[in-house]
Amino acid sequence: MNYDVADFETDVINLSYTTPVIVDFWAEWCGPCKEIAPVLSEINNEMDDKIKIVKINIDENPNIPNQYGVQSIPTLVILKKGEIVATKVGNCLKSELISWIKTVI
């Protein structure tokens, strides 16, 4: 799930035309980010054929979060066909995340 941002446009934006992509904006120092990480990993494994999840560390890659208007973390953005279709800020339960994802895919 960790992602090399060098090919963000090619891999994430273009991929979102065939498979919705969740971008998890996080940072190492963020407690809620660490709490949500294993939940996202489980969802990634369970919904592997329906959605792809990538993680962007905002400290290492500040340009991409700025592009998407990220002001606090964790922020999850679902991209579909290159466009943002949903945004969720903060930590939440796995069931809430799955419901949120299913409303979009």
Side-chain angles (χ1 to χ4, degrees):
M1 279 185 4
N2 282 322
Y3 182 72
D4 177 5
V5 297
D7 296 319
F8 186 82
E9 183 77 26
T10 303
D11 295 345
V12 176
I13 302 299
N14 292 344
L15 175 64
S16 74
Y17 281 85
T18 55
T19 303
V21 177
I22 295 177
V23 181
D24 172 22
F25 293 101
W26 71 285
E28 189 64 42
W29 48 264
C30 171
C33 297
K34 290 180 179 182
E35 291 173 10
I36 201 170
V39 174
L40 290 172
S41 182
E42 287 176 23
I43 291 171
N44 191 52
N45 291 337
E46 293 168 9
M47 301 182 81
D48 187 40
D49 58 334
K50 295 180 179 82
I51 199 155
K52 179 174 175 72
I53 300 175
V54 299
K55 298 174 69 65
I56 302 290
N57 184 316
I58 65 163
D59 290 331
E60 295 173 2
N61 309 288
N63 292 336
I64 294 172
N66 288 339
Q67 256 179 286
Y68 289 92
V70 174
Q71 296 183 356
S72 63
I73 54 174
T75 292
L76 305 175
V77 174
I78 298 179
L79 298 172
K80 196 172 184 181
K81 297 183 181 175
E83 300 292 325
I84 295 174
V85 292
T87 302
K88 189 163 205 49
V89 178
N91 196 358
C92 61
L93 299 172
K94 180 179 176 181
S95 59
E96 293 174 300
L97 279 175
I98 290 173
S99 294
W100 174 69
I101 293 166
K102 286 183 177 181
T103 63
V104 182
I105 63 168

